[in-house]
Amino acid sequence: THLLDLWVYDLLTLLNFQVTGGSSGIGKCIAIECYRQGAFITLVARDETKLLQAKKEVEKFAINDKQVVLCISVDVSSDYNQVESVIKQAQEKLGPVDMLVNCAGTSVSGKFEEVEVDRFKKLMEVNYLGSVYPTRAVITTMKERRMGRIMFVSSQAGQIGLFGYTAYSPSKFALRGLAESLQMEIKPYNIYVTVAYPPDTDTPGLAEENKTKPLETKLISETSGVCQPEQVAKIVVRDAVQGNFNSSVGPDGYMLSALTCGMSPVTSITEALQQIITMGLFRTIALFYLGSFDSIVRRCMIQREHDTALP
């Protein structure tokens, strides 16, 4: 279905999508997915060289000659006034943001006591404040126009805390709290929030993370496999345009979203009933998963102690 058919817009009007972290990985694929359906795109990232390369890749998917890809080089986590200024400049060129995709993020994995202390602060700045600042910069205009969509790209590690993610998981969990609170504020203005929980996805970020990932974390991650960013992009864009609060990928993602729904908003009665009916079954399955994860951690610890004791 065409994006313009899903929102009640004049069919000649193109939507304005702004994607942070849009120079690579899931962010770039989200930009491509939107552009190939007729949207204007503003790519936001730090690295200007990567941005310009991403711009060329996105432009290949144009469906009409009116579409534009604009690039903004800025660190969305460092200074709010700077973020607000550049986003305002982008809106002056392309018009108000119809949908903001907060995809800027970074990851680090390691045992709690081995992760450098300043990395905890850095991840919270990039993964949490890096979503707060752009959202703060567009929300007033969205409320004035009485329409808009905001997506926060979290992670399955933002639904369940895993070995090796003591710095990463909290920064992704924080997005859930922000999204729920914000959704309650802005729903009367016809603005809808989506939190996407992608699994491990084949991106440059994952490749970099794997270089230092603890063995326990690798073995746990292998139980669910790796998704392609194009697949993730299609699913999360569809959910955001439709106004779904949760966006999950694959059977494990669906189960996690049902298990962790708590007091989160629902999009339909059907969704609510599915959560209620499946909760007991999914909790039972989850306990087996947790048991296997604990077993992996114990085996690795025993093996490490055995190796250390050898002469």
Side-chain angles (χ1 to χ4, degrees):
T1 305
H2 200 285
L3 289 180
L4 301 180
D5 296 328
L6 290 171
W7 279 358
V8 185
Y9 272 75
D10 185 315
L11 293 182
L12 297 177
T13 303
L14 300 178
L15 303 182
N16 182 7
F17 282 65
Q18 195 163 97
V19 185
T20 72
S23 63
S24 65
I26 293 174
K28 183 175 71 176
C29 288
I30 287 175
I32 289 172
E33 179 64 21
C34 296
Y35 200 66
R36 67 194 297 177
Q37 297 190 58
F40 286 123
I41 300 293
T42 301
L43 299 174
V44 183
R46 290 177 299 173
D47 192 317
E48 195 164 352
T49 302
K50 287 183 179 179
L51 270 174
L52 294 174
Q53 179 59 41
K55 173 182 166 74
K56 293 177 182 177
E57 293 181 47
V58 174
E59 287 175 335
K60 295 176 183 177
F61 295 89
I63 62 170
N64 64 66
D65 57 7
K66 294 181 180 179
Q67 286 176 268
V68 176
V69 179
L70 182 66
C71 291
I72 297 178
S73 177
V74 66
D75 182 347
V76 292
S77 67
S78 62
D79 177 57
Y80 172 69
N81 291 327
Q82 186 181 12
V83 173
E84 183 184 39
S85 175
V86 295
I87 288 180
K88 183 179 179 181
Q89 291 171 25
Q91 291 190 104
E92 288 173 354
K93 292 179 180 179
L94 297 185
V97 174
D98 295 303
M99 179 167 161
L100 172 66
V101 179
N102 291 292
C103 200
T106 188
S107 175
V108 64
S109 60
K111 293 180 182 178
F112 179 67
E113 69 275 17
E114 294 176 0
V115 176
E116 295 178 8
V117 172
D118 64 347
R119 297 294 288 165
F120 289 87
K121 179 182 178 183
K122 184 64 177 176
L123 260 67
M124 195 60 79
E125 287 174 344
V126 175
N127 295 345
Y128 177 65
L129 293 180
S131 291
V132 171
Y133 292 167
T135 302
R136 187 76 159 71
V138 303
I139 199 69
T140 301
T141 304
M142 284 187 175
K143 289 174 75 172
E144 288 171 352
R145 299 171 69 221
R146 293 290 202 275
M147 60 188 194
R149 296 286 190 273
I150 297 170
M151 183 199 298
F152 297 106
V153 178
S154 180
S155 164
Q156 284 188 358
Q159 295 174 296
I160 174 174
L162 297 173
F163 188 106
Y165 285 143
T166 52
Y168 179 66
S169 279
S171 67
K172 290 297 190 178
F173 266 83
L175 293 175
R176 163 81 176 265
L178 170 63
E180 287 190 7
S181 303
L182 183 62
Q183 179 64 98
M184 193 174 289
E185 286 189 25
I186 62 181
K187 187 176 180 180
Y189 295 88
N190 193 37
I191 306 168
Y192 290 89
V193 175
T194 297
V195 189
Y197 298 104
D200 278 349
T201 305
D202 186 13
T203 64
L206 180 65
E208 188 64 27
E209 180 192 327
N210 284 339
K211 293 178 182 178
T212 57
K213 187 177 284 184
L215 176 60
E216 292 91 337
T217 313
K218 287 182 180 178
L219 293 173
I220 290 171
S221 297
E222 286 170 2
T223 62
S224 62
V226 178
C227 282
Q228 293 303 308
E230 295 83 2
Q231 175 195 9
V232 172
K234 285 181 181 294
I235 292 170
V236 301
V237 168
R238 179 201 66 202
D239 287 337
V241 170
Q242 292 177 350
N244 298 337
F245 183 77
N246 283 303
S247 180
S248 60
V249 179
D252 286 348
Y254 177 78
M255 182 178 75
L256 268 175
S257 288
L259 273 172
T260 59
C261 60
M263 289 286 287
S264 64
V266 291
T267 307
S268 66
I269 296 297
T270 302
E271 181 186 5
L273 289 174
Q274 287 173 342
Q275 292 170 349
I276 293 167
I277 293 168
T278 60
M279 184 67 76
L281 172 63
F282 284 166
R283 178 57 175 164
T284 303
I285 296 171
L287 290 173
F288 281 101
Y289 270 98
L290 289 170
S292 70
F293 296 162
D294 286 341
S295 178
I296 287 171
V297 173
R298 281 196 301 271
R299 289 201 308 271
C300 288
M301 183 185 73
I302 291 169
Q303 185 62 49
R304 197 172 285 114
E305 290 176 343
H306 177 264
D307 293 344
T308 303
L310 290 176

